[in-house]
Amino acid sequence: EIVLTQSPGTLSLSPGERATLSCRASQTVSSNYLAWYQQRPGQAPRLLIYGVSSRATGIPDRFSGSGSGTDFILTISRLEPEDFAVYHCQQYGSPPNTFGQGTKLEIK
Amino acid sequence: ELQLVESGGGLVQPGGSLRLSCSASGFTFSTYPMHWVRQTPGKGLQYVSAITNSGDKTYYADSVKGRFTISRDNSKNTLYLQMSSLTTEDTAVYYCVKRTVTTNPYYDFWGQGTLVTVSS
């Protein structure tokens, strides 16, 4: 199965700053089937990005995804207070679907 | 409004059984494949099982194959996960997840989850 490694494990930033989160796959992600989810404390994951770079319905344009092959990035251009959460990447191109271990974005 | 509401979690002894349910509303349930995904502090999010929209095909992670059974009742808009021979490794929050029907098969909505604790 494809192993996804997210870095950093924890990212400490201030509101208004730019966040760059990485997700690296152990093999090429088929068809660029790579998604990002946001999870706030006590809540379920929420879809942000699918197909590497397509924003889900209702997701602000400060969230963007990029990458291909084995290396993917989630960028949050200007952090808002509600953006501090855990972010998970997922590949769904090769069964079984697998997830990264998550990046915690915390307020500095 | 789209909703997925899980129930049936709780405390169970090792070797025991439990059945989770997920009640769906706000969309045409019978159209969509559905999945179960679990989350633990140590291993993060982990795919557990999947079922086609009609229920004719089911899929399982290796870690639960032979112990868990996924099913659905489209007349009741409900997804199930029958879990047996539970071990402490199965302790997790279990999420019911809706998958898209497009050629891009991502998870577009998650329920709030139900906690399963396997402990003596």
Side-chain angles (χ1 to χ4, degrees), chain A residues 42 44 50 52-53 57 64-65 70 78 85 90 92-93 98-99:
Chain A
Y50 63 92
V52 174
S53 59
T57 302
S64 63
T70 60
R78 295 170 310 279
Q90 178 211 19
Y92 52 95
T98 51
F99 295 85

Side-chain angles (χ1 to χ4, degrees), chain A:
Chain A
E1 68 181 43
I2 294 179
V3 176
L4 299 179
T5 302
Q6 292 186 240
S7 61
T10 302
L11 183 58
S12 300
L13 293 170
S14 300
E17 290 192 296
R18 180 185 187 91
T20 302
L21 287 66
S22 172
C23 176
R24 176 163 289 178
S26 61
Q27 306 168 39
T28 297
V29 174
S30 175
S31 303
N32 279 337
Y33 283 168
L34 192 286
W36 291 91
Y37 301 88
Q38 177 192 66
Q39 188 173 28
R40 294 174 176 142
Q43 295 187 14
R46 176 177 73 138
L47 175 69
L48 295 177
I49 300 286
Y50 63 92
V52 174
S53 59
S54 297
R55 270 189 304 277
T57 302
I59 301 303
D61 61 6
R62 65 179 182 273
F63 291 91
S64 63
S66 62
S68 65
T70 60
D71 291 291
F72 303 91
I73 297 288
L74 174 70
T75 302
I76 310 171
S77 58
R78 295 170 310 279
L79 285 166
E80 298 287 342
E82 62 268 26
D83 299 337
F84 292 91
V86 177
Y87 292 83
H88 307 274
C89 61
Q90 178 211 19
Q91 70 79 25
Y92 52 95
S94 301
N97 296 342
T98 51
F99 295 85
Q101 80 281 16
T103 289
K104 181 180 181 181
L105 180 55
E106 65 177 24
I107 299 177
K108 188 174 181 179

Side-chain angles (χ1 to χ4, degrees), chain A residues 39 42-45, chain B residues 2-10 18-25 27 29 34-39 45 48 70 77-81 83 92-98 107 109-116:
Chain A
Q39 188 173 28
Q43 295 187 14
Chain B
L2 201 156
Q3 282 198 316
L4 294 170
V5 180
E6 300 94 337
S7 60
L18 211 56
R19 188 176 85 153
L20 307 183
S21 299
C22 171
S23 178
S25 60
F27 65 103
F29 180 69
M34 297 294 295
H35 289 219
W36 288 98
V37 174
R38 65 188 182 186
Q39 185 172 30
L45 292 164
V48 173
I70 189 171
N77 290 343
T78 303
L79 176 72
Y80 302 100
L81 185 68
M83 306 185 295
V93 174
Y94 285 74
Y95 293 102
C96 165
V97 187
K98 174 180 171 289
Y107 293 157
F109 193 78
W110 300 57
Q112 283 301 303
T114 187
L115 176 62
V116 172

